[in-house]
């Protein structure tokens, strides 16, 4: 028996033989080509049924059983190339009315779609069957695509479009579900053709010249597929509805990885760019050769060399190679390479680039570049806004056809087309600048991409980026960062546009984007969170940070009063909104809430002010610096823009923000030195070399200077810098941190109209509604133990009072007052009856059972409300978490028992309120105290300025005037008043004169300096002189007291003499008191003090006046805070005047009652002589208030 081929045996092992037999029989019955028909393909008798059976096999066997056996059999049977493509090619273009051919072509298309469908399975979805068939089927799909794009006799893509043309021609309202399905099948087929590509790990004999991106674009152009895509895109929403995501996928696989800058260059510019790139590569190669030639071996030194180095630990390190003998740096580099530890790893499978990866660049041929540029320009003009607006609506509705990958493709295509629009505008500007004929041509606006520059897109993008960052979907976040970057760059171009409408739109967009503080914080967290996500992710996040920082700095300089909305503030407003408010409202509550809103608005506007330096300082952290260091490590492969991006960030760190310490690390300094000095550094002729060289030079200079100031930096250069280390190295001392105490919650109260029991029921109900059963139980335990403690002391006090009443003091206090202790308050043991009696006036201390309870007791305002209603009090001025709660003595055991019963009753039988109200509806925030209005504001009409300002001025200066001068001045003024007009003044004139004197007095007091209280002698320190001074003062006070007592005795002993020796003109009143005249005493400052002087003083009074005048001193008062009245009394004392009236005979045994007299500062008004009468009541002399 003849042996079967090895390939056939392998095939038998991979697929079930019975399945293979059925599939092969259907393929054979479909048709074929023979010599009788001149090589033409001939359909079988039942070809349409065979096609339907094959479709049924694929659906029922492969899809339902999650296997690939039927697809493998069809690939081995060469169904696509041998049958399906031949059937489509045999359908002539003029046979539009042949319905049988049309049905057969549709059946072929229905088979081609699942056979070309992308096969992407995750590791969790892979089975043994998938691992067996997937490599073969992927290779077969590449063959399918090559045959479809490069068919010899027919344009198969155009033929497939002909299948769906009748359905596409129908209006949207007249299409059936079958027509919609046919259109979708066509679009899925085009998507699959654009998606199929050669795998990176394919065999070397396979080339992708026939299936690469350029071939696909050319085929789409020649077979009018681009026109189909434009038709569907431009009619999206009007003529087409559910095909939006399929077109989006086709565009994604066509455009990903294409360099947009090359796309919009004309032929001359493209040739120049290619020449420059070739020259740059040649220069790079020459530089590498020069570096190699320095240490290149010659014909005489091609022998091996090895050296050894003895280290400190008596170990040896060996280095081989003759180049180590020529250059010391080369020797050290080789030693460093030997220190590198490489972790041993097993065999790694090749990493396959997924179909969704858009970071790999793709090169295009000139023809493909030209065709794609024409399509992109037409798509931007007609199809971009309808398609992307429709996809946006579908994503917002969360339609079933929208998958997770569509969000990534959506934002990536937005970034791609925005960059294309910017490149097209730039090309138009260059063309107008170079071409004088088109210099006056109209400038195009950015309306062609206006559908993606709306607030809805910004909200979707922010949410998409945040969710991607949270679940660590780095490819999604990469697409979002690229989209956000291109939006910022587009807005920047719009701001620089000569069209005024674009400038206004750009200003509004920047205001919306930069207003959200969460956007700024998200960018910082993205840059900080980089860790081996790939070079594409690294490039995207650094570009986003660079563009955002640059634009935000420029915008903040233009808008000095820039405001941002903080997320913390929004949360606070939400809490205020959710907190219980009084629906009915009262006047006091409305005023309190209005004041709170005003205060909150002031605080919000003050805290929302944006400070760019403070924002940029958030980038000055070690993770952010490490991210740009990782980018700099690729310096040999970076473009000039990328090198400039890294250079600008390091310049901002070192000089703009003055945070050079973040760069003082050994690996960073070594990298910067390698970039400039080599080995394998930047090309000296490059556009960015000079900038890098100057930057590294200045950083090293700062490093040397800082090393001299802080020798500790030599150790810290080995490690990353934390903020505390940075502060210490910068200022030489540790940073002083202050901790802020948490703020107490808003105080609540129960609406008025309820008794205490009702208020307790409301507070307990609120706690129970919030499932705070543990707090309610703890409250009951506290009350129970407090009742026991309070009741025991009350019983002991009652027993003590009863024993004391009987006159039998207790022999043993412990027996007389037994105490039953509970768990709650801490009460000291009483050992005396006095302490026992006082114990009933003490409060009981409430102790939380754990630390969590203490914190909850401070933060939960509902529990605090219950405590305050029951009668608990919080000790201390400041309300902190460490505050102590007590049960005051005013709460008796009976009161506490009543509150406990109410809590228990409410717990098992909650109250029910009318109108379906809850307990929370009866709780409101306690209105804050009305803030005291400033004395002087815009609405006070300047009232109260003088009265309040006088409190801050110095009092009247004293004047040491002798008695003769004072009397002379008084006589002069009295004479002047008598000579004046005797006509009385009305009230208006008196009020005007009083105000004038008040203003003049205020101006005079403003000029008083501090010399009133400070003298040159104050700076001297002489203890002996101070003691002498104090002794003399004490002696004077004692002498003064003796004289006063002597005067009082004389006044009591000689009242009858005083009556017999009356002078002429003096008369006694009915109460025996002399007539008193009013006069004025002028001090040094010009003020007049009204004093009461006896018209005929007695001998003792005159002697006392003279003695007092002789002992007068010029010692100033020692305190600057004396009242002005005190200074007036001192002035009267120094001028020798005493307000001691002559004693009355009716005041015997009582002593002279001297009542204070009100002083007046009037100057011009004449004070008439008033008969001072005194009323006597119960033996005391009482002055009349009216006088």
């Amino acid at each position: 028996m003849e042996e079967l081929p090895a390939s056939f045996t392998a095939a038998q092992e991979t697929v079930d033989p019975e399945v293979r037999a059925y599939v092969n029989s259907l393929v054979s019955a479909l048709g074929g080509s023979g010599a009788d028909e001149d090589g033409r393909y001939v359909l079988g008798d039942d070809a349409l049924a065979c096609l339907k059976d094959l479709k049924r096999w694929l659906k029922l066997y492969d899809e339902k059983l999650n296997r690939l056996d039927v697809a493998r059999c069809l690939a081995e049977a060469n169904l696509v190339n041998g049958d399906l493509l031949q059937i489509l090619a045999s359908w002539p273009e003029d046979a539009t009315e042949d319905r049988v051919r049309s049905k057969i072509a549709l059946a072929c298309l229905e088979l081609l779609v699942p056979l070309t469908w992308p096969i992407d399975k995750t590791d969790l979805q892979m089975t043994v069957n998938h691992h067996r068939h997937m490599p073969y089927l992927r290779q077969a799909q590449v063959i399918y695509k090559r045959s479809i794009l490069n068919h010899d006799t027919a344009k198969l893509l155009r033929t497939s479009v002909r299948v769906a043309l009748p359905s596409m021609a129908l209006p949207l309202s007249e299409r059936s579900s079958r027509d919609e399905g046919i259109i979708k099948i066509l679009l899925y087929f085009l998507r699959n053709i654009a998606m199929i590509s050669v795998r990176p790990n394919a065999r070397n004999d396979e080339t992708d010249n026939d299936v690469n991106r350029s071939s696909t674009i050319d085929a789409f152009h020649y077979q009018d597929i681009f026109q189909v895509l434009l038709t569907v895109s431009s009619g999206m929403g009007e003529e087409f509805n559910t095909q939006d995501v399929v077109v989006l996928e086709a565009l994604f696989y066509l455009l990903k990885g294409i360099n947009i800058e090359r796309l919009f260059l004309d032929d001359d510019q493209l040739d120049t760019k290619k020449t420059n790139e070739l020259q740059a590569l040649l220069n790079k190669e020459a530089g590498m050769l020069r570096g190699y030639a320095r240490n290149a071996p010659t014909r005489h030194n091609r022998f091996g060399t090895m050296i050894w180095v003895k280290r400190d630990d008596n170990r040896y390190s060996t280095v081989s190679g003759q180049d180590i003998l020529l250059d010391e740096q080369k020797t050290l580099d080789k030693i460093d390479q030997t220190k590198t530890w490489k972790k041993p790893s097993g065999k790694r499978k090749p990493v396959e680039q997924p179909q969704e990866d858009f970071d790999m660049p793709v090169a295009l041929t000139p023809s493909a570049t030209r065709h794609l540029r024409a399509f992109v320009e037409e798509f931007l003009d007609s199809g971009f806004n309808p398609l992307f607006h429709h996809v946006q609506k579908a994503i917002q509705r969360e339609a079933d056809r929208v998958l997770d990958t569509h969000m990534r493709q959506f934002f990536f295509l937005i970034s791609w087309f925005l960059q294309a629009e910017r490149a097209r505008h730039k090309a138009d500007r260059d063309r107008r600048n170079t071409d004088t004929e088109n210099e006056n041509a109209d400038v195009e606006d950015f309306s062609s991409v206006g559908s993606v520059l709306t607030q809805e897109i910004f909200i979707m993008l922010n949410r998409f980026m945040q969710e991607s960052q949270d679940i660590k979907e780095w490819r999604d976040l990469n697409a979002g960062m690229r989209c956000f970057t291109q939006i910022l760059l587009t807005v920047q171009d719009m701001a620089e546009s000569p069209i005024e409408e674009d400038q206004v739109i750009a200003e509004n967009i920047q205001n919306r984007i930069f207003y959200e503080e969460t956007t700024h914080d998200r960018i910082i967290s993205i840059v900080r969170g980089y860790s081996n996500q790939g070079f594409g992710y690294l490039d995207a996040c650094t570009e986003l940070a660079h563009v955002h920082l640059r634009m935000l700095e420029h915008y903040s300089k233009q808008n000095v009063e820039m405001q941002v909305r903080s997320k913390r503030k929004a949360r606070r407003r939400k809490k205020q909104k959710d907190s219980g408010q009084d629906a009915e409202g009262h006047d006091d509550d409305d005023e309190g809430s209005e004041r709170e809103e005003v205060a909150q608005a002031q605080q919000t506007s003050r805290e929302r002010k944006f400070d760019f330096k403070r924002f940029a300082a958030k980038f000055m952290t070690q993770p952010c610096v490490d991210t740009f260091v990782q980018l700099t490590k690729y310096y040999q492969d970076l473009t000039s823009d990328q090198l400039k991006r890294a250079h600008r960030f390091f310049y901002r760190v070192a000089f703009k923000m003055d945070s050079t310490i973040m760069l003082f690390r050994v690996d960073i300094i070594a990298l910067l030195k390698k970039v400039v000095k080599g080995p394998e550094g930047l090309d000296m002729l490059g556009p960015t070399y000079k900038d890098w060289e100057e930057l590294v030079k200045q950083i090293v200079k700062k490093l040397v200077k800082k090393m001299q100031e802080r020798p500790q930096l030599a150790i810290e250069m080995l490690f990353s810098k934390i903020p505390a280390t940075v502060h210490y190295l910068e200022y030489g001392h540790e940073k002083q941190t202050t901790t802020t105490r948490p703020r107490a919650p808003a105080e609540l109260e129960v609406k008025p109209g309820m008794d205490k029991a009702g208020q307790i029921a409301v507070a307990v109900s609120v706690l129970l509604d919030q499932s705070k059963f543990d707090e309610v139980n703890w409250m009951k335990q506290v009350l129970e133990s407090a009742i026991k403690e309070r009741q025991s002391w009350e019983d002991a006090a009652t027993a003590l009072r009863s024993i004391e009443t009987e006159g039998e003091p207790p022999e043993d206090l412990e027996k007389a007052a037994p105490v039953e202790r509970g768990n709650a308050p801490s009460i000291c043991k009483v050992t005396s009856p006095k302490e026992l009696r006082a114990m009933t006036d003490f409060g009981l201390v409430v102790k939380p059972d754990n630390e969590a309870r203490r914190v909850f007791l401070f933060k939960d305002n509902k529990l605090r409300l219950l405590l305050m209603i029951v009668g608990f009090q919080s000790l201390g001025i400041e309300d902190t978490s460490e505050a102590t709660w007590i049960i005051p003595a005013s709460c008796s055991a009976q009161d506490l028992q009543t509150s406990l019963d109410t809590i228990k009753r409410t717990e098992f039988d909650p109250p029910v309120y009318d109108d379906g109200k809850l307990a929370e509806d009866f709780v409101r925030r306690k209105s804050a105290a009305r803030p005291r209005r400033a004395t002087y504001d815009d609405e006070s009409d300047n009232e109260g300025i003088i009265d309040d300002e006088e409190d801050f001025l110095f009092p009247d200066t004293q004047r040491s005037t002798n008695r003769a001068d004072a009397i002379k001045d008084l006589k002069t003024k009295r004479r002047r008043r008598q000579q004046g007009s005797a006509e009385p003044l009305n009230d208006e004139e008196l009020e005007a004169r009083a105000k004038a004197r008040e203003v003049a007095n205020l101006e005079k007091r403003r000029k008083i300096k501090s010399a009133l209280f400070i003298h040159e002698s104050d700076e001297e320190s002489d203890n002996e002189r101070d003691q002498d001074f104090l002794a003399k003062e004490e002696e004077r006070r004692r002498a003064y007291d003796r004289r006063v007592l002597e005067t009082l005795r004389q006044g009591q002993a000689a009242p009858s003499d005083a009556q017999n020796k009356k002078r002429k003109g003096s008369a006694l009143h009915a109460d025996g008191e002399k007539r008193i005249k009013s006069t004025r005493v002028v001090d040094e400052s010009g003020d007049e003090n009204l004093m009461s002087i006896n018209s005929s003083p007695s001998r003792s009074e005159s002697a006392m006046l003279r003695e007092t005048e002789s002992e007068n001193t010029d010692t100033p008062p020692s305190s600057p805070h004396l009242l002005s009245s005190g200074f007036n009394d001192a002035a009267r004392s120094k001028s020798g005047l005493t307000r001691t009236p002559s004693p009355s005979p009716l005041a015997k045994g009582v002593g002279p009652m001297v009542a204070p007299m009100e002083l007046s500062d009037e100057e011009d008004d004449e004070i008439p002589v008033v008969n001072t009468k005194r009323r006597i009541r119960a033996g005391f002399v009482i002055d009349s208030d009216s006088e």
Side-chain angles (χ1 to χ4, degrees), residues 999-1010:
V999 173
N1001 188 25
L1002 178 62
E1003 293 296 333
K1004 177 180 59 181
R1005 295 177 64 185
R1006 284 173 178 166
K1007 299 177 181 179
I1008 300 175
K1009 305 299 180 181
S1010 60

Side-chain angles (χ1 to χ4, degrees), residues 804-819:
E804 289 179 349
T805 303
E806 297 175 0
E808 298 178 359
E811 298 178 357
D812 189 358
L813 182 62
E814 296 294 334
K815 296 179 181 180
V819 179

Side-chain angles (χ1 to χ4, degrees), residues 168 175 183 187 190 225-241 243-252 254-255 375-376 378-391 413 417 451:
M168 297 174 64
R175 289 184 199 148
I183 298 174
L187 295 176
L190 299 178
I225 302 302
F226 282 148
Q227 299 300 323
V228 175
L229 296 178
L230 287 174
T231 301
V232 177
S233 301
S234 60
M236 194 63 62
E238 297 179 357
E239 298 295 333
F240 303 94
N241 191 13
Q243 296 82 10
D244 47 3
V245 294
V246 187
V247 178
L248 189 75
E249 291 183 31
L251 293 175
F252 174 78
L254 274 175
L255 302 176
F375 166 71
V376 169
E378 292 182 7
F379 181 80
L380 285 172
D381 293 336
S382 60
F384 180 83
N385 284 336
L387 175 63
F388 280 82
H389 180 70
H390 202 269
V391 174
L413 287 177
F417 281 107
S451 61

Side-chain angles (χ1 to χ4, degrees), residues 159 352 403 865 878 927 1041 1065 1101 1166-1167 1172-1173:
T159 303
E352 297 182 1
L403 306 178
L865 174 63
E878 296 183 358
S927 58
D1041 294 339
E1101 292 175 353
E1166 195 173 298
I1167 305 299
T1172 303
K1173 295 183 179 180

Side-chain angles (χ1 to χ4, degrees), residues 350-408:
V351 180
E352 297 182 1
Q353 296 293 335
Q355 296 291 338
E356 299 294 329
D357 189 11
F358 43 78
D359 292 326
M360 297 297 295
V362 177
L364 297 180
T365 60
S367 60
T369 302
R370 186 170 56 255
H371 298 154
L372 184 61
R373 176 179 177 177
F375 166 71
V376 169
E377 289 182 345
E378 292 182 7
F379 181 80
L380 285 172
D381 293 336
S382 60
F384 180 83
N385 284 336
L387 175 63
F388 280 82
H389 180 70
H390 202 269
V391 174
Q392 172 197 342
K393 296 298 183 182
I395 293 175
Q396 291 177 346
R397 293 194 307 268
E398 297 182 356
D400 296 337
R401 64 180 183 274
V402 178
L403 306 178
D404 295 337
T405 57
H406 294 151
M407 291 281 290
R408 176 169 61 248

Side-chain angles (χ1 to χ4, degrees), residues 779-804:
M779 185 67 183
K780 292 191 298 183
Q781 294 175 5
V782 171
L783 287 176
E784 289 173 356
S785 58
I787 291 171
K788 293 179 181 179
E789 190 81 14
R790 182 57 58 84
Q791 188 65 44
S792 64
W793 288 114
E794 289 180 359
D795 295 343
T798 304
L800 180 61
R801 285 194 297 269
S802 64
I803 293 174
E804 289 179 349

